[in-house]
Amino acid sequence: MDRKITIAIDGHSSTGKSTAAKQLAQELQYIYVDTGAMYRAVSYFALSENLVHNERLDSQKLIDRLDDITITFKRNEETDRADVYLNGQNIEQQIRTLEVSNIVSHIAIISEVRAKLVAQQQAMGRDKGVVMDGRDIGTVVFPDAALKVFMTATPEVRAQRRYVELKQRGDEVTLDEVLHNVLERDRIDSTREDSPLIQADDAKLLDTSTMTREEQFELLLEWAKEAME
Ligand code: DC
């Protein structure tokens, strides 16, 4: 049998990372961890505890409340996917809104938040056999991962994908708003001081601008098999 490895998938938002990572984990019978959902869960906490006023976050208050935040994942029988829970409440739907997307990059720059989530992610991947997607998995969380992939696509393609997703859920958004959010998150994620979004030296680049989901999956699977040898 192939050896169990750690697979780190990083990249820009809305590049198809989580879809590809989930599919790969399912195929390999590995655990899948969506680390973006964890930063989104903290953002949802900040919003629901009124720590955000006029789009300004009270970072110190959030830091003081970090011990009140417990994030867990639990399999959803209907979708066969893992939903994210905040203090026991399923918030899978609530974390995918534009309101959360607009605040999450500001949450992700806080070192105390990152330290808490990174420690939990490292614990979840301790036994290998994991596909983890995020921004800093290959650089910070698992710098020794056997396979590192960095996914990207043009901002226009990514905004269009996210726009279709949000519209399907019934959210009232314009393509322009979504493109603005994509570009703004790229800027903040790539320029933050703590764990900026960068391609690890040993990561394979996957540009999905003109690739179908099937093509992305095939390539990832091929890379995963090579890495297991
Ligand atoms: O993958 P996503 O779009 O759901 O991630 C939401 C935000 O969380 C993203 O803008 C940056 C942040 N993030 C991070 O800083 N580090 C991670 N490992 C995952 C996400």
Side-chain angles (χ1 to χ4, degrees):
M1 212 180 88
D2 291 322
R3 69 189 179 103
K4 276 197 183 247
I5 61 167
T6 302
I7 301 178
I9 302 192
D10 291 302
H12 293 106
S13 58
S14 305
T15 46
K17 278 193 315 289
S18 51
T19 307
K22 259 179 226 163
Q23 209 182 349
L24 185 64
Q26 207 160 27
E27 175 74 23
L28 300 173
Q29 299 199 328
Y30 275 22
I31 293 166
Y32 164 67
V33 182
D34 173 0
T35 64
M38 299 171 74
Y39 288 91
R40 287 172 180 273
V42 176
S43 308
Y44 178 76
F45 175 88
L47 285 167
S48 43
E49 294 292 316
N50 289 319
L51 305 181
V52 182
H53 296 285
N54 301 325
E55 296 196 6
R56 284 188 63 87
L57 165 76
D58 189 334
S59 306
Q60 192 51 51
K61 273 206 183 124
L62 176 63
I63 294 167
D64 293 343
R65 299 281 311 273
L66 280 181
D67 286 344
D68 297 341
I69 301 178
T70 302
I71 299 168
T72 46
F73 289 94
K74 206 171 116 194
R75 196 173 146 265
N76 179 325
E77 304 284 339
E78 268 171 46
T79 58
D80 198 25
R81 301 261 153 94
D83 286 348
V84 65
Y85 285 69
L86 171 67
N87 298 333
Q89 184 199 352
N90 185 331
I91 54 161
E92 184 61 32
Q93 290 301 316
Q94 290 90 320
I95 61 165
R96 307 289 168 193
T97 60
L98 199 54
E99 192 190 14
V100 168
S101 296
N102 280 333
I103 192 82
V104 66
S105 290
H106 300 282
I107 300 276
I109 62 173
I110 304 171
S111 293
E112 288 83 350
V113 170
R114 302 203 70 84
K116 174 182 169 94
L117 299 188
V118 166
Q120 188 178 347
Q121 290 152 12
Q122 287 172 334
M124 287 191 280
R126 202 170 26 219
D127 300 330
K128 302 200 175 164
V130 65
V131 181
M132 201 170 278
D133 90 47
R135 303 292 189 287
D136 60 342
I137 311 304
T139 49
V140 175
V141 182
F142 292 116
D144 297 329
L147 173 62
K148 298 181 188 178
V149 179
F150 190 86
M151 287 177 70
T152 191
T154 66
E156 290 73 20
V157 166
R158 292 188 281 132
Q160 177 65 35
R161 285 180 187 153
R162 183 51 64 99
Y163 174 71
V164 170
E165 253 172 46
L166 290 169
K167 284 305 243 190
Q168 271 170 358
R169 289 168 30 123
D171 285 11
E172 284 298 323
V173 289
T174 65
L175 182 56
D176 236 33
E177 278 173 335
V178 180
L179 179 61
H180 180 264
N181 173 258
V182 162
L183 291 172
E184 189 57 10
R185 278 207 284 155
D186 281 1
R187 189 185 65 75
I188 303 175
D189 292 347
S190 312
T191 56
R192 69 174 173 232
E193 242 169 69
D194 188 348
S195 319
L197 170 64
I198 42 164
Q199 182 179 351
D201 290 339
D202 51 351
K204 292 180 187 295
L205 183 67
L206 182 58
D207 185 335
T208 65
S209 301
T210 60
M211 288 174 89
T212 63
R213 286 189 169 167
E214 194 52 35
E215 288 166 341
Q216 296 169 32
F217 173 66
E218 290 300 327
L219 190 54
L220 280 176
L221 188 59
E222 193 183 307
W223 286 344
K225 294 218 161 126
E226 277 168 22
M228 284 173 189
E229 281 169 6

